[in-house]
Amino acid sequence: MADHNSLICSKLVMQLNCLTSLADILDDELTAIASRRGEGLKDIAKQKLAFLGQIQTLDKELKTLLATNELESTEVADLIADVRKLLESCKKKNDVNAHAAHHAQLTVKQLKDILIGVPTSTTYDQGGSVVHGNSKIVHNLKA
């Protein structure tokens, strides 16, 4: 039974390591979103998917091992608590990143709308008041 618990602990430590790496990648992702580095985001997405795949594989293995485990040690319980805590942290970071990416996308869309003169674009007049409607920014540009 000690071998079984040590195998479970080993898998949990591997999962903790993957989640720690995922948390670091999520931090990098937020930095890339904030700096609008598209290429960096592609690489980060690939890394994220790889770690998520590893975490899912370990999760399936652990589910099988824990189902056949009759006696859960304190060490196993502590590691499971650590995994859950780190997983929750990763979920929160991912939600923050999704929110930041959404806002970055909206900002770029608004800028594009202003530059191409979309009738519903928002601009400002000389007094700083918001003006909605047909923008003359693009129409008055001469190449």
Side-chain angles (χ1 to χ4, degrees):
M1 191 54 72
D3 289 337
H4 191 70
N5 276 340
S6 65
L7 180 60
I8 292 172
C9 288
S10 172
K11 296 284 185 184
L12 286 168
V13 168
M14 289 171 62
Q15 196 165 40
L16 275 172
N17 291 336
C18 285
L19 285 167
T20 301
S21 297
L22 181 62
D24 292 341
I25 288 170
L26 289 168
D27 290 337
D28 294 344
E29 183 180 51
L30 184 59
T31 301
I33 290 168
S35 65
R36 291 179 171 78
R37 288 188 337 231
E39 279 303 311
L41 285 172
K42 288 179 185 179
D43 294 338
I44 288 169
K46 289 177 187 175
Q47 292 174 356
K48 240 171 84 167
L49 286 174
F51 278 112
L52 287 172
Q54 289 176 3
I55 291 166
Q56 286 177 335
T57 301
L58 286 167
D59 201 41
K60 287 176 185 176
E61 292 172 6
L62 282 164
K63 185 177 180 179
T64 304
L65 289 171
L66 290 170
T68 61
N69 192 22
E70 296 170 5
L71 178 65
E72 191 172 289
S73 71
T74 306
E75 183 181 12
V76 169
D78 290 345
L79 284 170
I80 289 172
D82 291 344
V83 165
R84 287 183 177 151
K85 183 178 175 183
L86 192 50
L87 180 62
E88 188 61 36
S89 173
C90 287
K91 285 180 181 179
K92 286 179 184 176
K93 286 182 180 192
N94 196 55
D95 289 344
V96 167
N97 291 359
H99 190 72
H102 178 72
H103 279 287
Q105 182 182 16
L106 286 177
T107 302
V108 169
K109 183 187 179 320
Q110 288 173 340
L111 178 61
K112 180 184 125 201
D113 289 349
I114 290 169
L115 291 175
I116 64 172
V118 173
T120 59
S121 65
T122 303
T123 59
Y124 301 93
D125 64 12
Q126 291 175 346
S129 299
V130 175
V131 176
H132 297 282
N134 198 3
S135 173
K136 296 185 181 198
I137 294 176
V138 176
H139 302 293
N140 291 333
L141 290 178
K142 295 179 184 175

